[in-house]
Amino acid sequence: MSSGSPIGDYYDSNTHRFLLVGRSGDRHAIHRELWGPGVQNPRQAAGYVNNLVAEEIEASLPPPDRTGPRRSATQASGRGPIILDMGCGVGGTLFELAERFPRARLHGVTISRRQHQLALRLKTRLDRGDRCDFSLADFQSMKLDLRADFVVGIESFVHSIAPERFFASVEAHLAPGGRMILVDDFLARAARSFSSRDRAEIERFRVGWHARSMCTVETCATAAKQAGLDLLEDRDLTGLVRPGRIRDRVIARLSPIFVALGLIRHPFFANMIGGNALQVGLVNGFIEYRMLVFASGRGGD
């Protein structure tokens, strides 16, 4: 059954292939491999971004004796943190965070029926899955009955209709004093400053990967500020991406043929066309992969 949205249908069509050709193994990751310090194999590379997110959460949790605004979010109630993943895929990141934070409650949202089904199956198989819940919903219009201490978005922000819509939903589900951790692709500078050839690649990426909110970090931060979220950290992860794998080189040869045949509207081919455009952007420096951390401007009780 179709998910009923272009992005949902895109992931319905491609998720099994992402998991099959990906190299994350039992991590169930469909996000970017990052070859950071100490990473020695694809499985570790697939988990690197999850480690970065977990470290950010850990650093933001209050120590037992701390008083002040964030005390009311986690300590005063005696509970662990609530973590919300907007665009959770099949749950890979949440399952790892559940292992890292044994008292946390975690909730994932995906617009893909296929991903939702797979996440629920994995939840029943994993011993930590009982603390993970999943919703089939559009994260831009959802109305969940929760306020998360941490909202995570890994390669999902670009799929939003507009940055303002994305951050309005984040603000509606983020607890006072909470953190938003965003990892995604961004333009290195305003698109009008690029050559026509580079702009064509950016457009192929936007269309092929349904990346409607592809923008600069500055535009993203402005939209967040309008929703009451302040940018605390901007980390460039582009150097940890390894483009040019054998698969990437094969797709680079095939992509112009797919474009000439007008196949960019078909999810299977759109993924390869958009993926090749992304590789071109990363190699030539007009697309960057970054991690942004925002804080809710609302104080605690």
Side-chain angles (χ1 to χ4, degrees):
M1 180 183 294
S2 168
S3 288
S5 75
I7 298 171
D9 291 345
Y10 170 83
Y11 279 106
D12 286 348
S13 299
N14 286 308
T15 290
H16 275 300
R17 184 168 61 87
F18 292 158
L19 294 171
L20 182 64
V21 303
R23 303 181 291 177
S24 66
D26 59 357
R27 288 206 137 106
H28 313 293
I30 56 176
H31 53 242
R32 208 75 45 81
E33 291 178 4
L34 296 181
W35 294 80
V39 172
Q40 298 179 344
N41 56 60
R43 182 183 178 278
Q44 292 176 348
Y48 193 81
V49 70
N50 296 335
N51 290 334
L52 292 179
V53 170
E55 288 171 1
E56 187 63 42
I57 292 174
E58 198 164 55
S60 300
L61 287 173
D65 58 349
R66 179 175 295 175
T67 59
R70 284 196 56 74
R71 181 178 177 84
S72 63
T74 54
Q75 289 174 264
S77 64
R79 61 166 172 81
I82 298 174
I83 302 172
L84 171 64
D85 188 345
M86 291 173 54
C88 66
V90 301
T93 294
L94 280 191
F95 295 133
E96 289 206 29
L97 294 177
E99 185 172 6
R100 185 81 170 253
F101 302 102
R103 293 174 58 233
R105 299 295 305 183
L106 307 99
H107 197 105
V109 178
T110 175
I111 200 170
S112 163
R113 291 185 184 276
R114 185 67 56 83
Q115 289 185 344
H116 185 245
Q117 292 168 354
L118 291 172
L120 293 178
R121 290 178 196 169
L122 289 170
K123 168 185 166 74
T124 63
R125 285 168 39 190
L126 300 174
D127 56 4
R128 57 193 180 275
D130 61 335
R131 291 183 288 113
C132 300
D133 294 314
F134 297 95
S135 294
L136 176 62
D138 182 341
F139 59 58
Q140 298 171 112
S141 57
M142 65 185 184
K143 291 181 173 58
L144 303 179
D145 186 23
L146 64 80
R147 286 280 189 173
D149 301 295
F150 299 94
V151 176
V152 178
I154 301 176
E155 299 175 24
S156 58
F157 166 73
V158 292
H159 292 315
S160 58
I161 293 173
E164 294 77 12
R165 285 281 299 275
F166 180 86
F167 284 109
S169 185
V170 171
E171 191 279 333
H173 294 90
L174 189 61
R179 298 285 190 271
M180 165 69 200
I181 304 168
L182 177 63
V183 183
D184 221 317
D185 298 296
F186 292 91
L187 294 176
R189 57 189 185 276
R192 63 179 177 276
S193 67
F194 296 124
S195 68
S196 58
R197 185 173 184 176
D198 290 347
R199 287 198 299 271
E201 294 292 356
I202 292 168
E203 185 61 18
R204 290 188 188 103
F205 174 61
R206 280 185 169 138
V207 174
W209 275 26
H210 299 273
R212 289 176 289 185
S213 280
M214 183 71 171
C215 64
T216 63
V217 169
E218 291 74 20
T219 297
C220 176
T222 297
K225 185 71 173 178
Q226 291 171 353
L229 302 172
D230 299 316
L231 179 62
L232 298 182
E233 181 181 351
D234 173 11
R235 191 184 310 185
D236 189 354
L237 305 177
T238 311
L240 304 183
V241 180
R242 283 189 182 176
R245 297 169 298 177
I246 294 176
R247 186 178 69 199
D248 299 329
R249 296 198 294 269
V250 171
I251 292 175
R253 291 182 176 275
L254 295 174
S255 182
I257 300 172
F258 297 154
V259 171
L261 293 174
L263 298 176
I264 197 168
R265 300 296 175 181
H266 298 266
F268 176 81
F269 296 101
N271 170 252
M272 289 188 280
I273 294 169
N276 182 62
L278 172 62
Q279 296 286 315
V280 173
L282 291 170
V283 169
N284 290 281
F286 57 85
I287 294 178
E288 298 173 337
Y289 193 64
R290 306 186 82 94
M291 176 178 175
L292 310 181
V293 180
F294 300 89
S296 169
R298 294 173 293 140
D301 296 332

